[in-house]
Amino acid sequence: MTLVAATSVEPNIARLRGFVTSFAELLAGTRDEGEILEAGSALLARLVACDDWLPDAFARPSPDRYQQYLLHCDSRERFSVVSFVWGPGQGTPIHDHRVWGLVGVLRGAERVEHFRRSHDGALVQVGPTADLYECEVEAISPRKGDIHRVANGLAYGPSISIHVYGGNIGAVERATYELDGSAKQFISGYANTVVPNLWDRSSGA
Ligand code: FE
């Protein structure tokens, strides 16, 4: 009898390590938000163009709600990288960020609606509801208006998007909103208690 070992493909974690290293270098070179968003978008587009690096533990949907898994937080909390895993029908309330952000879709699609305050304080939608698809990247800036609502763009399966923020987003005090403009403070935290190990180079990766 021949025993055949089950083959499992290890995630290419070096790709994520390269991304966070490049992002830290970018932030060391500029504090200009426009430059960060432009160059950061290109880095994120490259990361989400290859779906071989995200460990399964950070790609699992929950039947209860969308999952927000911290993948990496810069030691000076200049930026954080998060995987959002959306089950069918799952999405956020309307919320803001207070820091710049980048959104890139790794699997499936993400539905985004942008809002702004009208003269009476209520929220009105800005532009059409838009779907972001695999490999696409969008930037958000509090200076241009960063109130939005995000949901799974697929009706029948999970989607995963990779977000980068200009701070430790799970610790930022920010707000959710009702359409009448009323706000509620919140700090999101994260769904996970351990993060991927980017730094074991023993395999030569
Ligand atoms: Fe958001």
Side-chain angles (χ1 to χ4, degrees):
M1 190 171 102
T2 306
L3 292 177
V4 178
T7 54
S8 67
V9 178
E10 286 296 314
N12 180 10
I13 207 71
R15 196 182 301 285
L16 179 57
R17 183 175 65 240
F19 174 78
V20 302
T21 302
S22 297
F23 220 100
E25 281 170 10
L26 168 62
L27 295 183
T30 182
R31 291 178 161 197
D32 181 88
E33 187 183 278
E35 288 179 16
I36 292 167
L37 293 179
E38 189 180 343
S41 291
L43 291 173
L44 183 58
R46 218 181 309 153
L47 180 69
V48 297
C50 294
D51 187 6
D52 64 354
W53 56 269
L54 183 65
D56 288 344
F58 307 98
R60 278 195 195 110
S62 160
D64 301 329
R65 55 166 285 154
Y66 69 89
Q67 298 294 284
Q68 182 171 344
Y69 296 111
L70 177 67
L71 301 179
H72 177 76
C73 184
D74 173 64
S75 62
R76 282 187 264 162
E77 297 181 276
R78 293 173 303 174
F79 72 102
S80 53
V81 186
V82 179
S83 69
F84 277 77
V85 183
W86 315 92
Q90 293 177 346
T92 68
I94 302 172
H95 63 277
D96 65 14
H97 307 82
R98 316 274 171 108
V99 293
W100 57 256
L102 293 166
V103 174
V105 178
L106 184 69
R107 293 176 203 166
E110 187 172 291
R111 181 153 296 170
V112 187
E113 298 162 282
H114 294 283
F115 296 87
R116 65 168 173 80
R117 273 193 191 279
S118 65
H119 61 278
D120 63 357
L123 296 184
V124 291
Q125 189 170 343
V126 182
T129 300
D131 283 340
L132 214 57
Y133 294 101
E134 281 175 11
C135 304
E136 292 182 329
V137 173
E138 183 184 55
I140 49 175
S141 162
R143 290 193 289 155
K144 293 179 181 163
D146 70 333
I147 299 176
H148 72 183
R149 176 162 60 191
V150 180
N152 192 350
L154 298 185
Y156 302 109
S159 291
I160 300 177
S161 48
I162 306 302
H163 298 201
V164 187
Y165 297 98
N168 176 6
I169 192 65
V172 174
E173 198 170 312
R174 48 205 178 108
T176 60
Y177 298 89
E178 300 295 333
L179 281 172
D180 66 7
S182 57
K184 204 158 100 185
Q185 299 300 308
F186 84 111
I187 298 173
S188 68
Y190 299 106
N192 52 323
T193 55
V194 295
V195 293
N197 182 353
L198 309 183
W199 305 106
D200 183 349
R201 297 172 182 266
S202 63
S203 67

